[in-house]
Amino acid sequence: MMLIPLALLATVAGASVLVSAPIGAEKQKPLGPGSAFECDLPPVLGPAGDGLPSADSLFSSHDAFMKQVRRHQAIVRVPSICYDDLGGFDEDERWAPFYDVHDVLAKTYPAVHKIATLEKVNRFGLVYTLAGSDSSLKPYLLAAHQDVVPVPDPSTWTHPPFDAYFDGEWLWGRGSSDDKNSLTALLSAIEALLTDAKWTPKRTLILAFGFDEECSGYKGASKIGDFLTERYGNDSLALILDEGGSGIQLIDDTLYVLPAVMEKGHVNIWAELHAKGGHSSIPLPHTSIGIMAEIVSALEANPFEPQVLKDSPVYNHLVCLARHSPNAEPKLYDLLKKGDLDEITAELIRVNPTARFLIQTTQAVDVIRGGQKINAMPEVVTLGVNYRIAPQDSAEKVQQRFVKHIDAVVQKYNLSVEAFEDDGASSVEDLSASDVDYEGHLVLKGTGKFDITPVSPTSGPVWDVFSGTIQHSFAFKGGKVVPVGEVMTGNTDTRHYLNLSPHIYRWTPSRQRGSENIHTVDERVRIDSHLDIVRFYYDLIRNFDAAEF
């Protein structure tokens, strides 16, 4: 019987291997050999000595509950959608809701807007700064994003996607979870701190709210990253915390908290096939669509191989599970002792096939376009394939592999190939096997490339405060809380902040089933789970403000 929940193994990952060191010596690093990892826990860290009320006393009453409902409804009702084809700010009226976002935030959080310095970056990016009294302490950054994904068909929703309907437990709406959940919680925690006369920040706190994360962040977070780099410089922030991770999972009496310490890489490969057209009554044996279908078939017949790497987040997460939940999956843990990575990989995927997405470069054929008329053979067909790159691979390797696996189709149809010329590759002429001249020319391009991120530290003073706060905020009677670094299969705005800090964590502090249906019909969030996020931010800010590193 499988005792580890599917949801946990589907997102299993572990802490990176770095020994404790002074803050200046801790760095992100690529995967590779490291010291022995044992999943030791730093001390639980509850805020103390600042004279402020506890998070529970502030955010556990019915009045606090209903206040959060109203706050969250206000922002969820704004349809701040990021479309892939948005035009200029002044030319495309679909940007208009972002002005409404700013108005709602100013009205809902008056103390934040009275006390913090607000700067707008590239029109809609928001950077709030609460200047600390001790300039010798490195600032830290808490992030969220204002935008949401589109709603293809509102009629399919149980409640209209921008009504922010509350049913007494769940608040329904596009963005109620991703990522206005974090936006509301973060500002609510800071509003509570700023309305208490006993609190003024010692360490400078920066809030960064991008506005096109769902469109890769090039207008929002990318510009904010440049803005912050110019002001503070490289490696200038003690911590960056953004959305992401895989929440929280319970195994017996152990609560595993799963912030992401690494993001997979990314590349899109576009293949455009130009071939002979003509009237459909006298067709060639294969149209360009048929040829492209064979290319798709060749790619999907050759998936990438999964691989657990020694000292990777996934490997170290298994170490944590073996130590803190030794009865959950004993065969897998026995293999850890033997150290056979191939056997570990095979057993992990046997236990849960979806775990492969963390340890394998994924390939998804997402776009195909071709043909304009039912009685005319298509002259141009376009294919788009999305890759999320695992640590053992690279964008260059993905491109080389693409060319390799379509070579038989290229040869079969005498296609000339122009492969990734923007990367310095040269055109290739492959004219051989076919006795039909399709006049085919295939152009390959790679877009949206970025590397696998470095692994953030899971030891040292910054991690100790982060992990200690998690253990305090989510403590429960009779159990223990184990923060564990993991891999993130998607990407966040933090890709644009990598130069600002080695300590970058992606985690929305939400319990299991705290939200449902992100990016699809009937997205919703439980308000009691949302309040967990508020409490955590409230405690984290107090603990970081008291830290001396």
Side-chain angles (χ1 to χ4, degrees), residues 68-88:
Q68 284 310 113
V69 170
R70 293 189 295 272
R71 282 174 167 171
H72 204 37
Q73 283 177 321
I75 195 66
V76 172
R77 285 173 177 150
V78 181
S80 50
I81 296 170
C82 190
Y83 297 94
D84 287 339
D85 62 346
L86 279 165

Side-chain angles (χ1 to χ4, degrees), residues 533-549:
I533 306 176
V534 181
R535 294 185 191 96
F536 171 75
Y537 282 135
Y538 181 79
D539 287 342
L540 182 73
I541 292 167
R542 294 168 66 195
N543 279 340
F544 257 88
D545 211 51
E548 295 296 334
F549 48 74

Side-chain angles (χ1 to χ4, degrees), residues 172-238:
W172 301 62
R174 173 62 82 230
S176 58
S177 178
D178 184 11
D179 179 39
K180 292 179 178 179
N181 194 15
S182 297
L183 185 68
T184 299
L186 182 52
L187 286 169
S188 296
I190 296 172
E191 186 77 5
L193 288 165
L194 291 176
T195 53
D196 193 311
K198 293 188 289 294
W199 189 77
T200 55
K202 181 179 178 182
R203 182 189 299 271
T204 294
L205 168 60
I206 303 163
L207 307 179
F209 301 147
F211 59 89
D212 65 337
E213 191 274 345
E214 302 294 0
C215 303
S216 296
Y218 292 110
K219 292 182 174 68
S222 178
K223 301 299 184 184
I224 291 173
D226 293 341
F227 173 82
L228 294 175
T229 299
E230 183 176 352
R231 173 167 295 176
Y232 296 102
N234 293 327
D235 194 16
S236 55
L237 305 183

Side-chain angles (χ1 to χ4, degrees), residues 72-81 96-105 146-148 161-164 174-175 180:
H72 204 37
Q73 283 177 321
I75 195 66
V76 172
R77 285 173 177 150
V78 181
S80 50
I81 296 170
F98 289 91
Y99 294 108
D100 298 331
V101 169
H102 298 180
D103 291 342
V104 167
L105 296 182
Q146 308 166 55
D147 58 304
V148 303
F162 295 106
D163 276 10
R174 173 62 82 230
K180 292 179 178 179

Side-chain angles (χ1 to χ4, degrees), residues 133 144 160 165 364 541:
S133 59
Y165 177 80
I541 292 167

Side-chain angles (χ1 to χ4, degrees), residues 287-328:
T287 69
S288 55
I289 290 177
I291 295 172
M292 191 66 86
E294 290 193 36
I295 288 176
V296 171
S297 180
L299 293 171
E300 293 193 337
N302 292 280
F304 286 75
E305 291 297 320
Q307 182 62 61
V308 174
L309 302 180
K310 182 70 180 295
D311 296 326
S312 69
V314 169
Y315 182 93
N316 289 343
H317 193 172
L318 294 175
V319 171
C320 286
L321 291 169
R323 175 170 179 177
H324 297 287
S325 301
N327 298 320

